[in-house]
């Protein structure tokens, strides 16, 4: 450990690792470059944006049987979002990185230069790379710039510093090729992890995360749309890529004020079953609906709605509503062990290839943890198995895997406290699948409702009008129930 006084403000600065090249003064933000037993002030480091990450400097944990502590962080931003790289030191003096992106974590350690790596420009999502007999698949490739940092770091970094990295996955394994220093990358090898698996200590509490973002726990802040002035609800610590629900203007609020990125006004709003700001209790955890997208299959008329939910203690979750029903969707940290032309293997389960199609975003509203644009397209391949539907989504820069599990409309109804509205709406929606004919369940409800109304109005009149009035009332009731006799075989009201 190496201690000294900051040459700018006099505060104590500590280098915990002999390999740390710089340290950022916690008081004045001076970046101090270590040279032998002295340091040189090389400028100010921008403050890292406080997001929803529970990690902080001083967080500790255990990985591969060794204790580690977090001593530094750099924040990297690319065209569609940003992520944190936490610099960690192990008890034996070695170092590594804890990657933190939208609630997904991975620990990697430097394994030296990758002389067999492909050129950065030749890497595509899904591309293969073999290391130590394991075949990895490229998950994403990014060119990002440093926008802030703190603590100790192993190399000089500051405003404008650029990172060129390609991430690879195979099951729980994680590998990064870092081209930031030149054409031959450094290789970092490790695994995707969960913070509970690391037995982390001194994590930030959800309430502390909320306070650092400037709003109360469980509450959303209101921001005026820079285009039309309408109020946009958002969570400063969670998602800062905003779509105005009134006019559709896309904004970036990472600085705390909305700046127009692209005017995308809509002539008409899209009606959705669930609304922004609604709260759900799912699997014992509280979620808030913060963003929604309307998507369409490319070249077809099939559309569906994707709802992004966030919980302080649970992270992100998706709900997808289509004509087939509702699905609960979780983006996977663990990738398939193998992918063939006809099947995929995930954690010992086999999934059979079903469909391959393209999808595009035709409407977006609310807040997202990455930049969403109307017109964004992805290539989707669905695989069916006993655990649900496994899907890969491929864009020019990344590929993701997610697992969807079918959920009854009544269950979703209970999550959001809709008191039967979603279950009834699902019955009506099923009619579209059969050619815009109301299903028997919906017809049954309507027939019962209007029969009661008809009887309440006409029975008193029938007592005064004689047999003719009774006959008319009976015919009217018959007309209400007649459509039920023409439902498909096996249907019951």
């Amino acid at each position: 450990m190496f201690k000294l006084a900051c040459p700018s403000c006099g505060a104590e600065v500590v280098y915990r690792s002999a390999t740390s090249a710089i340290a950022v003064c916690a008081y004045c933000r001076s970046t101090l470059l270590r040279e032998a037993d002295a340091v040189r002030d090389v400028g100010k480091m921008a403050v890292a944006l406080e997001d929803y990450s529970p990690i902080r400097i001083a967080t500790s944990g255990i990985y591969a049987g060794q204790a580690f502590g977090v001593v530094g962080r750099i924040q990297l931003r690319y065209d569609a979002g940003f992520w944190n790289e936490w610099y960690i030191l192990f008890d034996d003096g070695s170092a590594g990185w804890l990657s933190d992106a939208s609630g997904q974590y991975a620990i990697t350690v430097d394994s030296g230069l990758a002389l067999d790596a492909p050129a950065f420009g030749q890497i595509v999502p899904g591309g293969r790379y073999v290391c130590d007999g394991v075949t990895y698949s490229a998950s994403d490739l990014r060119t990002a710039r440093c926008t802030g940092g703190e603590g100790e770091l192993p190399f000089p970094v500051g405003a404008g510093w650029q990172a060129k990295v390609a991430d690879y996955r195979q099951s729980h394994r994680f590998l990064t090729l870092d081209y930031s220093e030149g054409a031959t990358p450094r290789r970092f090898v490790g695994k995707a992890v969960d913070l509970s698996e690391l037995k982390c200590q001194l994590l930030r509490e959800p309430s502390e995360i909320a306070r650092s973002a400037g709003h109360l726990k469980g509450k959303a802040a209101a921001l005026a749309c820079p285009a039309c002035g309408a109020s946009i609800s958002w969570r400063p610590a969670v998602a800062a890529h905003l779509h105005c629900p009134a006019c559709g203007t896309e904004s970036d609020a990472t600085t705390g004020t909305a700046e127009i990125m692209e005017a995308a006004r809509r002539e008409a709003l899209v009606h959705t079953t669930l609304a922004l700001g609604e709260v759900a209790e799912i699997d014992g955890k509280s979620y808030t609906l913060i963003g929604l997208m309307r998507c369409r299959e490319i070249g077809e008329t099939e559309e569906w709605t994707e709802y992004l939910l966030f919980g302080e203690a649970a992270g992100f979750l998706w709900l997808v509503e289509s004509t087939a029903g509702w699905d609960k969707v979780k983006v996977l940290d663990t990738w398939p062990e193998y992918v063939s032309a006809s099947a995929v293997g995930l954690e010992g389960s086999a999934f059979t290839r079903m469909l391959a199609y393209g999808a595009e975003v035709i409407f977006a509203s609310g807040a997202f943890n990455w930049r969403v644009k109307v017109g964004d397209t992805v290539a989707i391949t669905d695989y069916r198995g006993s655990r649900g539907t496994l899907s890969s989504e491929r864009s020019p820069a990344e590929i993701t895997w997610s697992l969807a599990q079918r959920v009854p409309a009544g269950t979703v109804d209970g999550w959001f406290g809709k008191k039967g509205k979603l279950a009834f709406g699902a019955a009506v929606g099923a009619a579209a699948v059969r050619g815009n004919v109301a299903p028997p369940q919906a017809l049954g409800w309507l027939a019962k409702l209007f029969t009661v109304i008809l009887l309440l109005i006409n029975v008193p009149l029938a007592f005064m009008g004689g047999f003719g009035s009774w006959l008319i009332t009976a015919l009217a009731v018959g007309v209400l129930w007649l459509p039920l006799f023409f439902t498909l075989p096996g249907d019951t009201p």
Side-chain angles (χ1 to χ4, degrees):
M1 184 178 292
F2 177 61
K3 298 182 180 180
L4 50 79
C6 173
S8 295
C9 70
E12 183 179 75
V13 178
V14 178
Y15 286 81
R16 296 172 180 82
S17 170
T19 60
S20 295
I22 67 170
V24 180
C25 177
Y27 293 91
C28 70
R29 308 298 302 168
S30 292
T31 302
L32 307 179
L33 177 63
R34 183 175 177 179
E35 297 174 327
D37 291 333
V39 296
R40 178 164 54 93
D41 187 344
V42 294
K44 301 292 185 183
M45 174 70 78
V47 178
L49 175 70
E50 286 297 347
D51 59 0
Y52 52 86
S53 175
I55 303 171
R56 60 175 146 199
I57 290 180
T59 292
S60 62
I62 298 176
Y63 173 75
Q66 277 204 78
F68 69 85
V70 176
V71 298
R73 165 169 70 158
I74 57 174
Q75 199 164 74
L76 297 162
R77 180 165 184 170
Y78 59 104
D79 57 355
F82 69 90
W83 80 94
N84 298 304
E85 291 284 351
W86 300 92
Y87 186 49
I88 60 177
L89 293 180
F90 294 96
D91 279 356
D92 66 356
S94 61
W97 292 93
L98 172 54
S99 176
D100 171 7
S102 294
Q104 292 187 309
Y105 306 96
I107 286 184
T108 56
V109 295
D110 191 343
S111 68
L113 292 175
L115 300 176
D116 59 347
F120 184 74
Q122 296 177 349
I123 300 174
V124 295
R128 300 291 189 261
Y129 177 70
V130 179
C131 177
D132 294 332
V134 177
T135 300
Y136 292 81
S137 178
S139 58
D140 61 81
L141 52 151
R142 307 288 183 198
T143 298
R145 69 182 190 280
C146 175
T147 57
E150 59 182 324
E152 296 176 52
L153 295 169
F155 47 79
V157 59
W161 182 82
Q162 191 177 79
K164 294 173 66 176
V165 294
D167 290 336
Y168 290 78
R169 290 176 177 261
Q170 194 275 338
S171 185
H172 61 277
R173 298 177 180 88
F174 196 98
L175 182 148
T176 296
L177 296 178
D178 187 344
Y179 294 78
S180 304
E181 298 177 358
T184 301
R186 298 202 70 82
R187 183 171 53 216
F188 295 82
V189 181
K191 62 179 288 189
V193 294
D194 185 270
L195 294 186
S196 61
E197 170 192 344
L198 298 177
K199 300 179 181 179
C200 286
Q201 302 292 321
L202 299 178
L203 293 171
R204 296 199 299 160
E205 294 293 331
S207 57
E208 184 180 353
I209 297 172
R211 284 196 303 271
S212 72
H215 63 90
L216 299 175
K217 181 180 179 181
K219 300 294 183 181
L223 197 68
C225 172
C228 71
S231 177
I232 309 174
S233 292
W234 67 302
R235 293 187 171 230
V238 178
H241 297 278
L242 315 178
H243 286 258
C244 176
C247 71
T249 294
E250 183 187 352
S251 306
D252 180 11
T254 54
T255 61
T257 58
E259 301 174 357
I260 296 179
M261 296 176 65
E262 178 182 341
R265 294 180 179 275
R266 308 286 176 266
E267 294 181 358
L269 293 178
V270 173
H271 172 74
T272 56
T273 304
L274 301 175
L276 294 173
E278 292 199 56
V279 177
E281 192 75 17
I282 303 175
D283 299 331
K285 298 176 181 178
S286 180
Y287 291 86
T288 300
L289 202 166
I290 63 172
L292 58 88
M293 297 187 299
R294 189 72 176 166
C295 301
R296 178 171 57 208
E297 184 176 348
I298 295 175
E300 302 292 339
T301 58
E302 177 73 15
E303 295 184 6
W304 61 92
T305 305
E306 300 184 4
Y307 302 95
L308 177 61
L309 288 77
F310 177 80
E312 275 84 359
F316 293 99
L317 182 70
W318 288 92
L319 285 179
V320 177
E321 179 189 12
S322 67
T323 55
W326 291 84
D327 289 282
K328 182 175 69 171
V329 182
K330 188 71 175 178
V331 177
L332 297 178
D333 293 326
T334 300
W335 272 37
E337 293 88 15
Y338 68 87
V339 179
S340 71
S342 60
V344 170
L346 176 68
E347 297 178 325
S349 298
F351 295 78
T352 303
R353 176 170 172 152
M354 301 296 292
L355 297 171
Y357 54 96
E360 63 178 333
V361 177
I362 58 175
F363 176 83
S365 182
F368 299 87
N369 57 327
W370 86 102
R371 188 183 180 191
V372 177
K373 303 188 301 297
V374 171
D376 281 351
T377 61
V378 292
I380 301 176
T381 305
D382 290 338
Y383 302 82
R384 194 69 48 79
S386 60
R387 294 173 53 189
T389 300
L390 185 64
S391 300
S392 69
E393 292 192 11
R394 186 193 304 261
S395 71
E398 69 175 332
I399 182 171
T400 61
W401 287 89
S402 60
L403 182 64
Q405 296 175 315
R406 183 57 49 87
V407 181
T411 300
V412 180
D413 190 291
W415 287 343
F416 286 89
K418 291 293 187 178
K419 299 180 179 179
K421 294 180 181 178
L422 295 187
F424 181 76
V428 174
V433 181
R434 294 208 301 262
N436 296 320
V437 179
Q441 294 89 347
L443 287 174
W445 278 97
L446 292 173
K448 292 173 184 176
L449 175 64
F450 284 106
T451 296
V452 172
I453 295 174
L454 187 66
L455 292 176
L456 287 175
I457 295 174
N458 288 301
V459 166
L461 295 177
F463 276 110
M464 293 182 291
F467 177 77
S469 296
W470 281 104
L471 181 61
I472 293 173
T473 301
L475 288 173
V477 172
V479 170
L480 282 173
W481 286 88
L482 186 62
L484 291 176
F485 291 96
F486 295 95
T487 57
L488 293 177
D491 290 331
T492 55

